[in-house]
Amino acid sequence: MKTVLQDLRPGRSVSLATYSEMAADPDPWDALMANALTTHPHYSRHVMEAHRRAGLAAADLTFIVVQGRLGLEALLPFAWKRDVSGLGTRIARPFLSPFITQTSPLVADAPDLPDILDLLVKGLQSASKGRIWRWPLLPTETKLGRGLLEAMDRAGWKRGIASRFERPIVERRGSYAGFLDEHPHRSRMKDLSRRHRNLSKRGTLSHDIATGGDRLNDAVAGFLRLEKAGWKGRAGTALASRPQHEAFARALFTGADGPVRVRADSLLLDGRPLSISLALVASGTATLLKTTFEENERSSAPGLLLEARIIEALYGTGFAERLDSATLAGSVLENLYPDRETICEIVAAPSGAARMITVEQRIRLISMERRAMVRVKRALGRR
């Protein structure tokens, strides 16, 4: 049973719902994803279902849900976390897993977007019981990101930016030739062309694309083997190193039946995979999940060669309008993907929240924690 937080009938209401309640009525969820301003797939039914099946999300995971006259208009899964920004007490944040790289809510592309966002922000405040929100991986310069922050401002929230970085993306232009002509790192593109030619001298170099059936299953299985055979396998961070993560990958790339499509790209040399990339395609955007490569071929940069072929396919087949690298700061794709999207972590205090310390002081605590973690990692690395 959904818990109504604000009821504005006959117009709109904002409620809390569990994952089980959301999954019991999947069509509105799929319809919202298909009509969302958001270009990321992470809070779609398909991806959240894969989290649930792998044990990475609980059946009682809570969603903030905005309902309107035409159906579901916004949703955001969230959870509680003890955090330094809350002085060790629980704060609210959007649902995160190791595979979620953007946390924009799903919001319908509607002409009265500000009204929807105003109600969503009321839901955020009620759901968190007025406590602090720590919100990572939010694109703040998109229409949705700006609109969400403006809605917080209208509601009297205090907010600040704890960190930011520029994520590499590719916005599809008129032609591939134009893309190459305008590329800010032409030397990188020429270097990749040279590496491609050198590899081609050793055998037949091909780009295989799998979107379903046995070919997709084989590509996912090949990805798991290839990644585990490399340094991530030795470090225990490969998908196949952790049962939940492997289960997530297999659930994610099996039976996509909604607005989110799955895709595996492989760079093959005489049929042998040198690199495999897994991605999700929704709302005109292909979002990378993970890429792996044959370490013995590292000098040929097979991972980057595959990414370059994916960009070429973007123009050749038009499978998307946009590529999202889904990376953090310092990605090797920064010289390959020429466009950028600003990704921020914000700290936001609802109107009326306890003011033991300011948002600015909370952000300083986050910065101190980050610096301490860096020092610990460096110390451990020297052992």
Side-chain angles (χ1 to χ4, degrees):
M1 179 70 68
K2 293 179 181 178
T3 302
V4 176
L5 301 175
Q6 297 279 341
D7 193 342
L8 305 180
R9 286 179 300 199
R12 293 187 169 96
S13 66
V14 59
S15 308
L16 295 183
T18 65
Y19 169 81
S20 295
E21 291 167 338
M22 296 293 297
D25 190 14
D27 290 344
W29 195 349
D30 283 350
L32 174 60
M33 181 66 218
N35 187 43
L37 275 170
T38 319
T39 60
H40 79 78
H42 299 297
Y43 295 151
S44 67
R45 177 183 59 84
H46 177 68
V47 177
M48 294 303 298
E49 181 180 324
H51 278 88
R52 172 68 184 126
R53 290 170 60 184
L56 296 172
D60 61 354
L61 175 69
T62 305
F63 288 71
I64 301 167
V65 176
V66 176
Q67 293 279 355
R69 290 180 295 272
L70 300 180
L72 189 58
E73 293 185 327
L75 69 80
L76 178 77
F78 80 101
W80 297 99
K81 179 179 182 293
R82 292 191 180 277
D83 191 78
V84 66
S85 64
L87 300 177
T89 63
R90 296 197 308 166
I91 54 93
R93 71 173 187 182
F95 174 74
L96 280 178
S97 81
F99 307 103
I100 288 176
T101 57
Q102 192 190 133
T103 59
S104 295
L106 293 189
V107 180
D109 186 3
D112 53 351
L113 176 65
D115 294 339
I116 298 174
L117 292 176
D118 284 343
L119 189 53
L120 177 62
V121 167
K122 288 182 180 179
L124 297 176
Q125 181 163 353
S126 295
S128 71
K129 301 178 176 61
R131 296 184 185 182
I132 297 296
W133 278 83
R134 182 173 175 179
W135 202 308
L137 301 171
L138 178 68
T140 54
E141 295 183 5
T142 62
K143 181 179 179 180
L144 176 57
R146 290 193 303 269
L148 178 62
L149 297 180
E150 289 167 0
M152 290 180 178
D153 294 342
R154 288 193 295 272
W157 288 40
K158 302 297 182 183
R159 59 180 175 86
I161 295 176
S163 64
R164 76 169 76 208
F165 68 95
E166 300 297 316
R167 174 172 286 166
I169 62 173
V170 177
E171 297 282 3
R172 190 167 179 261
R173 292 157 171 79
S175 68
Y176 183 61
F179 168 82
L180 293 176
D181 288 342
E182 298 172 9
H183 202 286
H185 300 286
R186 294 186 185 182
S187 60
R188 164 56 84 184
M189 304 306 292
K190 290 179 180 178
D191 174 66
L192 290 176
S193 294
R194 177 184 60 80
R195 293 173 189 267
H196 188 278
R197 288 193 301 270
N198 289 340
L199 267 179
S200 298
K201 294 175 182 177
R202 294 169 46 191
T204 301
L205 195 61
S206 61
H207 175 201
D208 184 74
I209 300 167
T211 58
D214 290 341
R215 287 178 63 192
L216 180 63
N217 293 335
D218 290 345
V220 173
F223 179 98
L224 294 171
R225 287 194 301 270
L226 190 59
E227 187 186 46
K228 192 170 184 180
W231 70 268
K232 288 186 178 180
R234 295 189 294 274
T237 59
L239 284 174
S241 298
R242 303 181 183 185
Q244 282 187 318
H245 292 185
E246 180 173 354
F248 172 78
R250 293 189 183 278
L252 190 63
F253 285 86
T254 301
D257 59 352
V260 177
R261 293 174 288 128
V262 294
R263 177 184 175 99
D265 291 79
S266 302
L267 183 69
L268 307 174
L269 181 63
D270 289 338
R272 176 173 63 91
L274 301 183
S275 180
I276 302 174
S277 175
L278 305 179
L280 304 171
V281 183
S283 302
T285 294
T287 300
L288 299 186
L289 179 73
K290 269 196 151 191
T291 300
T292 191
F293 62 89
E294 169 58 66
E295 287 193 6
N296 293 333
E297 300 285 354
R298 181 186 293 272
S299 62
S300 298
L304 288 175
L305 286 178
L306 176 57
E307 296 296 344
R309 295 295 292 268
I310 293 171
I311 294 173
E312 190 173 355
L314 182 75
Y315 287 90
T317 66
F319 69 90
E321 293 297 321
R322 188 172 183 265
L323 296 180
D324 180 352
S325 69
T327 58
L328 299 178
S331 165
V332 296
L333 295 180
E334 289 180 355
N335 289 338
L336 183 60
Y337 283 30
D339 306 309
R340 297 291 182 267
E341 182 170 69
T342 301
I343 304 293
C344 292
E345 179 177 33
I346 66 167
V347 174
S351 174
R355 293 288 192 267
M356 290 182 292
I357 60 173
T358 66
V359 166
E360 291 75 17
Q361 289 170 323
R362 295 178 191 276
I363 289 173
R364 284 198 288 273
L365 288 173
I366 292 172
S367 297
M368 291 171 59
E369 181 184 53
R370 286 200 178 111
R371 290 195 294 270
M373 290 177 66
V374 169
R375 288 195 292 270
V376 169
K377 288 180 179 179
R378 287 175 179 169
L380 292 174
R382 288 195 291 267
R383 291 184 178 180

